[in-house]
Amino acid sequence: MFTSKIIPILLSLILMGCTQKVSDVNATIHEAIFGFDDIKVTKATINDSPYASSYVRIGNGPQIFMVLALVENGQQKWLSSDKAMLVTENGRIVKTLALPQDNLAKISTKNSTNPDFLSQLTPQTDLKAYIANNDAKAWKTTFDWMPNYRYGYQANITWAYQYEQLVKSEAWEKQAHYIIETVYFPSLNEQYQNHFWLDVKTNQVVRSIQYLGPGMDRIEMTILKPYGE
């Protein structure tokens, strides 16, 4: 059983061109396989861990704990104990692996008509003003899904600022900007809404509710310990 679990994770790390030190990878694999005793991880455990971490809920499933295994080319790759992976870029889920039903093969974040607004933010950005000045500019990008090679679905994405509110996790309390984005697929005539909470001090995503696609799973993600802390 141990070998059957560890080999796929090792292969996936190798195939992704892992550049972490072997000792770091081994520790990450151990945490990814065995996890923690309780899904409700304590603040001390989160802070003492050398790895970034998050809570994730997929659809109506249980809350799971994920650790950051790799960071490359601006993308963060999060692993769960059952070998599922989420890939995020600036807080946006751009790829998933080994989820039980649909998987997001790719969201094109490069060479888009307009850039993803999440990629444009700095701690100095006046988020409310930024969205107000760009609310007529949809980010046009494409989605690819698996299985069945459903590739090249264009989406128009727009954002709406809601308000500032206090958000909490086991590890922190933060004031956050609450943003709703609408994702519309012209060829399908379908749309859905994602929700983002951005730390008012850094403009980084600390919590989100994102859908893989129309009629597909909802993924709730809370960053417990950000990368680099």
Side-chain angles (χ1 to χ4, degrees):
M1 179 66 72
F2 177 84
T3 303
S4 67
K5 287 185 176 182
I6 197 167
I7 288 177
I9 297 178
L10 281 170
L11 288 175
S12 67
L13 293 174
I14 292 169
L15 290 172
M16 288 183 293
C18 175
T19 57
Q20 275 189 311
K21 294 179 181 178
V22 171
S23 60
D24 288 348
V25 173
N26 287 341
T28 300
I29 291 171
H30 186 275
E31 290 194 10
I33 293 172
F34 297 107
F36 289 86
D37 293 335
D38 195 336
I39 293 300
K40 290 289 185 180
V41 184
T42 66
K43 182 177 181 178
T45 301
I46 294 166
N47 291 336
D48 291 344
S49 171
Y51 302 105
S53 57
S54 63
Y55 279 150
V56 173
R57 188 185 308 277
I58 300 171
N60 295 319
Q63 179 173 268
I64 61 176
F65 182 78
M66 303 187 84
V67 294
L68 182 62
L70 295 170
V71 178
E72 54 183 7
N73 299 323
Q75 295 186 339
Q76 299 182 355
K77 301 182 178 182
W78 305 83
L79 277 176
S80 73
S81 60
D82 60 358
K83 299 175 288 187
M85 177 179 284
L86 301 181
V87 182
T88 62
E89 188 171 332
N90 300 305
R92 182 181 301 284
I93 298 171
V94 296
K95 184 176 182 178
T96 66
L97 292 170
L99 299 190
Q101 299 182 48
D102 297 292
N103 277 277
L104 180 59
K106 186 176 69 171
I107 294 178
S108 299
T109 57
K110 305 294 189 295
N111 301 319
S112 300
T113 304
N114 297 310
D116 180 1
F117 97 102
L118 293 174
S119 70
Q120 305 301 298
L121 304 180
T122 70
Q124 291 73 43
T125 302
D126 183 334
L127 189 57
K128 201 179 297 186
Y130 178 87
I131 292 177
N133 292 335
N134 291 275
D135 62 1
K137 299 177 183 177
W139 175 39
K140 293 179 171 58
T141 188
T142 57
F143 283 63
D144 300 337
W145 298 292
M146 292 289 286
N148 302 324
Y149 300 97
R150 294 165 287 171
Y151 286 179
Y153 285 84
Q154 181 177 300
N156 301 330
I157 301 177
T158 54
W159 308 280
Y161 187 93
Q162 301 302 302
Y163 44 79
E164 186 177 314
Q165 68 177 151
L166 180 68
V167 292
K168 301 179 181 181
S169 77
E170 270 75 15
W172 47 257
E173 293 185 4
K174 299 175 186 282
Q175 286 296 128
H177 298 295
Y178 174 35
I179 308 297
I180 294 179
E181 71 170 21
T182 300
V183 185
Y184 174 64
F185 295 86
S187 64
L188 301 174
N189 193 27
E190 293 193 56
Q191 69 178 40
Y192 56 84
Q193 291 184 325
N194 293 327
H195 305 259
F196 294 93
W197 289 263
L198 288 74
D199 186 336
V200 297
K201 294 181 179 179
T202 64
N203 280 327
Q204 293 184 344
V205 176
V206 293
R207 178 171 292 169
S208 65
I209 300 173
Q210 303 179 57
Y211 288 81
L212 298 182
M216 300 181 198
D217 275 335
R218 178 187 74 251
I219 298 181
E220 301 178 30
M221 188 172 192
T222 299
I223 305 301
L224 299 173
K225 184 175 182 179
Y227 174 63
E229 286 192 3

